[in-house]
């Protein structure tokens, strides 16, 4: 393997490492977004449970 080949390979490795770092940054950002979405989902589930409870109370009152 010539010196030029070695240099070319090192450049490719460096480029790949930079892409890996960029991907890791995107993954971290996506994970943070997922956490926020999960928190919102849990909050919404709580709200839906409250709505369902209220609807049951309304239905019970209407049946009286």
């Amino acid at each position: 393997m010539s010196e030029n080949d070695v240099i070319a390979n090192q450049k490719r490795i460096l480029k790949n490492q930079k892409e890996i770092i960029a991907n890791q940054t995107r993954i971290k950002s996506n994970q943070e977004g997922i956490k926020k979405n999960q928190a919102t989902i849990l909050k919404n589930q709580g709200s839906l449970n409250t709505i369902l409870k209220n609807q049951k109370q309304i239905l019970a009152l209407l049946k009286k």
Side-chain angles (χ1 to χ4, degrees):
M1 183 178 282
S2 73
E3 185 176 336
N4 286 341
D5 290 336
V6 171
I7 291 170
N9 284 339
Q10 287 175 330
K11 286 181 179 178
R12 278 194 291 275
I13 289 168
L14 183 59
K15 181 182 175 220
N16 288 341
Q17 287 173 328
K18 287 178 180 178
E19 288 178 11
I20 288 168
I21 290 169
N23 287 340
Q24 288 171 329
T25 301
R26 283 191 288 273
I27 288 168
K28 183 178 179 184
S29 175
N30 288 342
Q31 287 172 328
E32 290 170 0
I34 288 167
K35 281 183 186 177
K36 288 178 184 175
N37 288 342
Q38 287 173 326
T40 301
I41 288 167
L42 287 174
K43 182 180 173 188
N44 289 344
Q45 285 175 330
S47 297
L48 289 171
N49 286 337
T50 300
I51 290 168
L52 184 59
K53 180 181 166 189
N54 290 343
Q55 287 174 330
K56 286 180 181 178
Q57 289 174 346
I58 291 167
L59 188 57
L61 290 172
L62 290 174
K63 287 182 177 179
K64 286 186 177 181

